């Protein structure tokens, strides 16, 4: 039951997760967000799962949860009818009938620091981690001009809105002194100077980096905190790679491991009995690249960055030839690489709503792949 004393709604849970992994970071083919349900519905409990299946929805109802938060979307492609002709249609009908909302947080949480691949790196105890393939073209530079006396007020407001984050650093900015002139016209209400007279003011040029999806909120903070009636600013699109977002992770073992030891570490960390891999190289494994889910598109990136081993899932037969003996490819399975994601999402929600309950991990097994071991 909700012990917070206040009603937590579906939109509140969605906002808390999307604050961490903004929906604009999802791939173009993806379908993140609320898929079934009313965003204003009060939440009685949350079941966290990797997938949405009939068994998951039945478990949610039996355990008093009217919100399922899943990594994989229930509705991925187009849904033209709900007649019970497929599991997806039956899930949608069941969820509507029993007032269960379904929320998906998929490739957007794949692309953020602290997301799916970062949780994999944590399981392997990798160090010096960074984004393997940063996304380009998602950064903006905000430039504004502020009176000396208001510099700290404006800068703090921009930081509070999320500006100034670069990789592992926050509150990054640059400023230098200058001189601004302006002459208020009729109808103006200047904070400094007088109507009809040119005014000279000692100002600071203030620069901060922002993510593109923060533009509206950061500009609002600028306008609210700036003393001028008309705020001079520039918002510039940058081609710089944003090292805070992107696909995969590169990290290092503290001590080099022999290839067989590295595979054993992987099998134990992800609790798997089978690891598909290329022929083992003769050199020790120190640098490890990884990507949760289907990460074959990063093979060449991992090779260029001289990874000793690349861990992912869903590799095809011919892709195992692509390393040409220069790097070990290891495939633990899609479900196995992402099975920790529900716990990650639950932790994010509980950080935002520490007294809300129940927040529970699903017991229902959803992995459609089974292994016969001779």
């Amino acid at each position: 039951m909700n012990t917070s004393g206040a009603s937590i709604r579906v939109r509140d849970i969605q906002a808390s997760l999307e604050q961490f992994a903004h929906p604009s970071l999802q791939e173009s083919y993806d379908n993140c967000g609320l898929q079934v349900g009313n965003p204003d519905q009060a939440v009685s409990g949350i079941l966290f799962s990797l997938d949405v299946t009939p068994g998951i929805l039945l478990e949610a109802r039996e355990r008093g949860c009217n919100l399922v938060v899943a990594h994989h979307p229930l509705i991925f492609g187009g849904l033209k009818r709900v007649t019970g002709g497929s599991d997806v249609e039956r899930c949608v009908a069941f969820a509507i009938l029993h007032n269960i909302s379904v929320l998906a947080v998929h490739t957007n949480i794949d692309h953020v620091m602290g997301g799916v691949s970062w949780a994999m790196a944590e399981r392997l105890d990798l160090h010096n981690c960074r984004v393997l393939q940063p996304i380009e073209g998602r950064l903006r530079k905000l430039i504004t001009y502020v009176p000396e006396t208001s510099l700290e007020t404006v800068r703090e407001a921009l930081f509070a809105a999320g500006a100034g984050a670069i990789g592992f650093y926050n509150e990054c900015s640059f400023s230098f002194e200058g001189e601004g002139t302006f002459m208020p016209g009729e109808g103006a209400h200047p904070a400094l100077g007088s109507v009809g007279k040119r005014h000279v003011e000692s100002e600071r040029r203030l620069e901060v980096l922002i993510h593109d999806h923060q533009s509206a909120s950061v500009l609002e903070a600028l306008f609210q905190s700036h003393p001028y009636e008309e705020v001079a600013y520039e918002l510039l699109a940058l081609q710089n790679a944003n090292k805070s977002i992107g696909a995969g992770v590169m990290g290092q073992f503290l001590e080099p491991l022999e290839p067989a030891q590295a595979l054993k570490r992987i099998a134990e960390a992800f609790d798997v009995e089978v690891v598909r891999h290329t022929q083992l190289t003769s050199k020790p494994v120190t640098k490890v690249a990884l990507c949760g889910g289907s990460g074959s598109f990063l093979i060449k990136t991992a090779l260029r960055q001289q990874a000793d081993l690349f861990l992912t899932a869903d590799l095809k037969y011919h892709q195992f030839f692509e390393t040409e003996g220069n790097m070990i490819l290891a495939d633990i399975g899609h479900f196995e690489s992402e099975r920790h994601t529900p716990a990650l999402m639950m932790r994010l929600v509980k950080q935002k709503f520490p007294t809300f309950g129940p927040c529970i991990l699903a017991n229902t097994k959803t992995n459609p792949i089974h292994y016969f071991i001779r």
Side-chain angles (χ1 to χ4, degrees):
M1 62 182 297
N2 180 6
T3 60
S4 66
S7 180
I8 304 298
R9 304 195 176 274
V10 171
R11 69 168 66 255
D12 300 322
I13 302 300
Q14 181 175 2
S16 70
L17 288 164
E18 292 183 351
Q19 183 180 20
F20 176 78
H22 197 272
S24 68
L25 298 178
Q26 68 179 302
E27 294 285 357
S28 59
Y29 60 79
D30 204 3
N31 187 32
C32 301
L34 185 63
Q35 306 207 309
V36 180
N38 181 352
D40 289 319
Q41 181 181 29
V43 180
S44 61
I46 309 172
L47 186 72
F48 294 86
S49 174
L50 189 65
D51 306 287
V52 183
T53 65
I56 288 292
L57 292 173
L58 183 62
E59 180 181 351
R61 189 187 68 169
E62 291 175 345
R63 301 181 74 178
C65 297
N66 66 347
L67 174 60
V68 171
V69 175
H71 182 45
H72 295 142
L74 169 62
I75 303 172
F76 202 82
L79 187 62
K80 296 184 177 180
R81 61 186 61 84
V82 182
T83 61
S86 68
D87 267 359
V88 172
E89 293 177 33
R90 286 187 285 274
C91 283
V92 171
F94 185 95
I96 293 173
L97 178 64
H98 296 283
N99 291 315
I100 299 173
S101 296
V102 177
L103 174 65
V105 189
H106 192 209
T107 53
N108 49 333
I109 204 171
D110 286 325
H111 286 153
V112 293
M113 291 175 64
V116 176
S117 295
W118 292 79
M120 291 179 68
E122 185 178 351
R123 281 177 170 261
L124 282 177
D125 194 27
L126 298 183
H127 296 259
N128 303 320
C129 294
R130 57 177 173 80
V131 175
L132 177 61
Q133 183 173 281
I135 296 176
E136 297 180 353
R138 300 298 298 268
L139 284 175
R140 304 289 183 266
K141 180 194 281 189
L142 174 63
I143 304 170
T144 189
Y145 306 87
V146 188
E148 290 270 7
T149 54
S150 300
L151 177 65
E152 286 308 312
T153 299
V154 173
R155 182 154 46 194
E156 289 298 327
L158 297 181
F159 290 161
I166 305 176
F168 293 103
Y169 295 84
N170 293 310
E171 301 188 1
C172 303
S173 70
F174 180 76
S175 67
F176 56 89
E177 296 179 3
E179 187 176 84
T181 66
F182 52 87
M183 184 172 68
E186 292 295 331
H189 300 87
L192 299 169
S194 303
V195 172
K197 294 182 180 181
R198 181 190 299 160
H199 180 79
V200 180
E201 183 68 28
S202 295
E203 295 181 336
R204 288 288 190 101
R205 173 177 165 131
L206 176 62
E207 302 180 1
V208 290
L209 290 183
I210 64 175
H211 303 303
D212 57 351
H213 65 264
Q214 298 173 317
S215 297
S217 59
V218 171
L219 287 177
E220 182 180 359
L222 172 63
F223 300 148
Q224 291 292 328
S225 61
H226 202 291
Y228 288 173
E229 187 175 25
E230 296 290 344
V231 180
Y233 72 95
E234 303 166 57
L235 189 59
L236 308 177
L238 304 178
Q239 291 303 311
N240 303 46
N242 188 339
K243 296 181 180 180
S244 300
I245 58 174
V249 167
M250 176 74 85
Q252 296 179 322
F253 289 130
L254 274 181
E255 299 290 339
L257 297 178
E258 291 302 315
Q261 290 178 305
L263 292 180
K264 182 179 180 182
R265 169 84 67 88
I266 289 169
E268 292 173 348
F270 294 94
D271 191 25
V272 296
E273 295 182 341
V274 176
V275 179
R276 299 167 65 222
H277 62 86
T278 55
Q279 183 173 345
L280 300 184
T281 60
S282 58
K283 61 180 180 179
V285 174
T286 301
K287 294 178 65 176
V288 177
L290 51 82
C291 179
S294 304
S296 61
F297 66 99
L298 292 171
I299 292 175
K300 288 183 172 56
T301 303
L303 277 168
R304 283 195 301 270
Q305 298 187 28
Q306 299 182 325
D308 301 313
L309 184 149
F310 178 42
L311 171 65
T312 188
D314 297 342
L315 294 175
K316 296 180 180 179
Y317 175 83
H318 292 285
Q319 291 169 335
F320 283 92
F321 288 103
E322 293 182 15
T323 66
E324 298 181 353
N326 294 311
M327 178 180 72
I328 299 169
L329 275 180
D331 182 335
I332 57 173
H334 196 116
F335 175 89
E336 290 80 3
S337 72
E338 297 180 333
R339 69 198 313 171
H340 54 280
T341 307
L344 166 63
M345 297 187 297
M346 185 173 74
R347 184 167 71 247
L348 292 169
V349 170
K350 291 184 76 66
Q351 286 172 353
K352 183 70 174 180
F353 305 103
T355 62
F356 178 82
C359 285
I360 52 181
L361 296 175
N363 291 325
T364 303
K365 305 301 181 185
T366 64
N367 190 0
I369 299 173
H370 298 266
Y371 298 94
F372 175 81
I373 300 176
R374 188 173 61 184

